[in-house]
Amino acid sequence: MSFNASGRPELGHPDSKVGARRVATLAFAAQGASVAAVYTTVPAVTEHLKLAPLLTTALMVAVALMAGGGSFLGLAAIRRAGPVATMRGAVLTAAAALVLIGWAPGQTATTCAYILFGLAVGALDVGVNTRAAAIEHAYGRSVFGSFYTAWSVGGVLAALLTAGTTRLGWPVAAGLTLQAGIVLLLATCMRTHTLPTPEGPADTVAQQSLGRRVWIRLIPFGLVLLVVYIVDSSVSAWSAVYLHQTLAASLTVAPLAYAAYQAGTVIGRAGADRLVQKLGAVAVVRTAALLAAGALAALAAAPGWPFAVLAAGAVGLGASVLAPLCLASAARLRPETTEGVLARLNLFNYVGVIAGGAVSGLLGSTGHFRLAYTVPAALAVLLLAAARHFSQSPRDLQQPARVHTSAAEGGRTVDR
């Protein structure tokens, strides 16, 4: 069911979990593609504008900081307009930011473009995860992994596109404009579908405080996200620079580590939901943490770029399942106010991105990129202690649901 401007339901639009899942999948793919487009072009943008290494590091940290603020903008947008409208607006803004990054004439304009991108990605992050949690609740089984698979597929394709356009001799502006066009196309394909939501007055619970007990229960998931995104930012933001500067790879080859990392995440996330149903979340998290730790150690010790590319793929395979399982488990703590839980959990996400990106950048600018991957390897081992908090609760996933309109959707949107 969709809603017109007056808030009255329009007839003839039946509930569609499949349609809602398809829209969310497109949004995840658009986010993955846009993030990959930014990270894999960092070396090219740096060389094109002759940016100092410390300034490049500062820009990546600024993206993470703005993304943290953007997640709360996204929370406000969800409560006013609904998650699908939030996702669509954030994707359009991210596409615009890609164009601005490519065509920015100097350092000031580039900084503004990266800041805009960070805000867009942060808003998109809370939007897609809120929608994914609602869809998983409607399905009554684990489906979060499939959304992050789409994220990773988008990232792989964007990284390969960066490598291809560089190989053809395209300027970075042309390459990013092409990437923005693809992201824009994904945004225009998004449609609205109704989705069953939990029983209860969502217009009031959406504004409720999470409570001290929920905050305490969020801490283990937050620490896992912190470590996961330290790992992710170390590989995503700096693997291309690592290959180019430390392992003497060309600008054409440098994006391949990111592509391999995302390819690993595609494989890991594609099987995540099935593995959780078969083995349980605890066993999956422990195995993934050990694999990620070993692969990061191999990446740090890589003798050349081919070995580093393979190691980056293994890191993606291990780390890929941790974030979706973490977000899905945390969302079940308060299903009636998922957007509030996830917006706050995203703070750990961006602290990890900032820490990983800043430390890796600083170590890389001083010629110690290998150490930048040794530290996350040790942190990944610590995730074993948090695995027990990921126990699945099918009863929580299978609560009865119904369709309703809420003030959180503004009473006039078409997003539920």
Side-chain angles (χ1 to χ4, degrees):
M1 186 182 299
S2 60
F3 296 90
N4 57 26
S6 65
R8 291 190 301 267
E10 295 177 357
L11 300 179
H13 294 269
D15 293 351
S16 176
K17 292 188 296 184
V18 174
R21 187 175 182 179
R22 182 169 57 248
V23 168
T25 299
L26 289 175
F28 272 93
Q31 186 185 24
S34 60
V35 169
V38 167
Y39 284 156
T40 58
T41 54
V42 168
V45 171
T46 299
E47 290 195 4
H48 174 65
L49 296 176
K50 296 180 173 55
L51 302 179
L54 287 178
L55 179 57
T56 302
T57 300
L59 287 176
M60 294 300 99
V61 172
V63 169
L65 284 171
M66 292 302 103
S71 67
F72 283 93
L73 291 178
L75 173 60
I78 289 170
R79 288 175 172 172
R80 181 176 179 83
V84 176
T86 300
M87 292 189 300
R88 188 184 296 115
V91 170
L92 292 174
T93 304
L98 291 179
V99 175
L100 293 175
I101 291 171
W103 292 94
Q107 295 182 3
T108 301
T110 301
T111 300
C112 292
Y114 277 117
I115 287 174
L116 179 63
F117 179 78
L119 290 171
V121 167
L124 181 57
D125 207 24
V126 69
V128 294
N129 284 305
T130 296
R131 191 61 167 170
I135 293 169
E136 180 171 271
H137 182 90
Y139 270 82
R141 58 184 173 85
S142 178
V143 297
F144 235 95
S146 66
F147 295 121
Y148 275 83
T149 301
W151 196 103
S152 299
V153 169
V156 171
L157 295 178
L160 293 176
L161 188 58
T162 297
T165 54
T166 303
R167 177 75 174 178
L168 293 173
W170 288 25
V172 65
L176 281 173
T177 300
L178 177 60
Q179 304 264 28
I182 295 173
V183 172
L184 181 62
L185 179 62
L186 291 175
T188 60
C189 291
M190 294 181 188
R191 297 292 182 269
T192 55
H193 302 273
T194 55
L195 193 64
T197 53
E199 292 276 0
D203 53 336
T204 57
V205 298
Q207 306 296 332
Q208 289 179 354
S209 170
L210 292 182
R212 185 176 180 180
R213 183 178 179 183
V214 174
W215 273 109
I216 293 174
R217 293 174 67 190
L218 272 179
I219 290 176
F221 302 117
L223 293 178
V224 171
L225 273 190
L226 177 67
V227 174
V228 166
Y229 281 98
I230 286 175
V231 172
D232 181 79
S233 63
S234 299
V235 179
S236 296
W238 298 107
S239 61
V241 182
Y242 174 51
L243 262 67
H244 184 55
Q245 292 185 359
T246 303
L247 302 180
S250 68
L251 286 176
T252 301
V253 169
L256 295 182
Y258 185 94
Y261 172 72
Q262 293 299 340
T265 67
V266 171
I267 297 172
R269 288 167 174 170
D273 294 326
R274 186 170 299 177
L275 287 174
V276 168
Q277 293 170 16
K278 184 176 181 179
L279 304 176
V282 174
V284 173
V285 169
R286 286 174 176 164
T287 303
L290 287 174
L291 176 58
L296 282 164
L299 182 61
W305 69 260
F307 188 90
V309 169
L310 292 175
V315 174
L317 185 63
S320 60
V321 303
L322 297 174
L325 291 183
C326 185
L327 292 164
S329 297
R332 289 193 291 274
L333 296 178
R334 287 287 292 273
E336 71 277 11
T337 180
T338 299
E339 71 277 10
V341 172
L342 294 180
R344 287 157 179 79
L345 191 61
N346 267 350
L347 291 177
F348 292 92
N349 171 344
Y350 296 117
V351 169
V353 172
I354 292 168
V359 171
S360 297
L362 289 172
L363 289 173
S365 64
T366 56
H368 296 89
F369 255 130
R370 295 185 186 277
L371 185 59
Y373 293 111
T374 303
V375 174
L379 292 176
V381 176
L382 300 179
L383 298 182
L384 295 174
R388 64 187 180 87
H389 295 281
F390 284 76
S391 56
Q392 188 101 346
S393 177
R395 181 180 57 189
D396 291 341
L397 286 175
Q398 295 173 353
Q399 293 174 351
R402 64 180 177 89
V403 176
H404 67 85
T405 312
S406 72
E409 296 164 317
R412 57 185 180 280
T413 66
V414 292
D415 295 337
R416 287 288 192 188

